[in-house]
Amino acid sequence: MAKIKIGVLVSGRGSNLQAIIDAAKKGEIAADIAVVVSNVPGAFALERAKKAKIPAVVVDSKAYDKKEAYEAEIIRVLQSHKVDLVCLAGYMKLITPRIMAEFHNRIMNIHPALLPAFPGLHVQKKALEYGVKVSGCTVHFVDEGTDTGPIIIQAAVPVLEADTEESLSARILKEEHKIYPKAIDLFAKGKLKVEGRRIKVKR
Ligand code: GRF
């Protein structure tokens, strides 16, 4: 089967990137990573890309005075690698309408909570503080809101009484590493049908 090309945007440690690299290597997803782009120089995710011999590009968001110029460069890099799908994996910048227009319904994100509960940052801590008994993670398409786009896959985990932010995060992260490659593979095989907010998975 023909493979799609993905571009992964990162800002940090890149464990989700690693899960995608491993899944691609094992032939578990119909996709190859064409490029990894980090807005943070020195992000560990860049090392992971280099180790896997994947082009790793830094577009330092702090080096640009104008957001427009930064974005134009991100778009240029993604397009120069002929990317079909953009995967945000711990990418700590907001995606603006300009990038969204270039890659309409072709940008995915992974979020460490069961959306629409707990969008935004530090969500494992917020879930613990709120006292939920179940949390999890969500892969969704990116729209103009923060973590509001149509949901592709979710996985749930229990919240235990002894949990700390770290232990809950680790339990959720394990699931993230399973569902992100799965969502990419469904997209790659043309199995995702977006109907408004609802995404149907073709069998
Ligand atoms: C993950 O928890 C992801 O859900 C969130 O940011 C974290 C990134 O972790 N968006 P990593 O860089 O993939 O290890």
Side-chain angles (χ1 to χ4, degrees), residues 1-129:
M1 177 182 279
K3 290 186 181 176
I4 63 157
K5 291 184 177 191
I6 61 181
V8 185
L9 300 190
V10 296
S11 304
R13 72 185 163 184
S15 72
N16 277 288
L17 167 68
Q18 190 67 53
I20 301 166
I21 290 174
D22 294 345
K25 210 169 167 187
K26 288 189 210 146
E28 291 171 355
I29 59 175
D32 283 322
I33 303 176
V35 65
V36 171
V37 187
S38 174
N39 69 308
V40 177
F44 186 62
L46 291 164
E47 300 306 315
R48 298 182 191 266
K50 281 179 203 154
K51 201 166 166 212
K53 302 196 167 39
I54 295 166
V57 178
V58 175
V59 182
D60 184 354
S61 41
K62 293 212 171 100
Y64 289 80
D65 289 341
K66 293 214 166 76
K67 198 172 69 189
E68 292 73 23
Y70 164 72
E71 277 189 349
E73 182 57 10
I74 293 276
I75 293 170
R76 191 195 66 73
V77 172
L78 292 170
Q79 286 179 339
S80 73
H81 286 84
K82 302 197 169 22
V83 160
D84 303 298
L85 173 69
V86 180
C87 295
L88 311 184
Y91 179 64
M92 300 304 283
K93 300 279 293 176
L94 288 177
I95 288 290
T96 62
R98 171 112 192 265
I99 303 189
M100 228 122 57
E102 290 293 330
F103 293 95
H104 180 66
N105 275 347
R106 293 191 294 136
I107 308 177
M108 282 183 191
N109 181 41
I110 179 114
H111 182 75
L114 290 177
L115 292 170
F118 308 116
L121 294 174
H122 312 299
V123 296
Q124 298 94 334
K125 184 163 178 271
K126 286 179 190 161
L128 278 179
E129 283 169 0

Side-chain angles (χ1 to χ4, degrees), residues 8 27 29 66 72 123 146 152 160 176 191:
V8 185
I29 59 175
K66 293 214 166 76
V123 296
T146 300
I152 303 167
L160 308 180
E176 294 185 34
K191 290 190 175 176

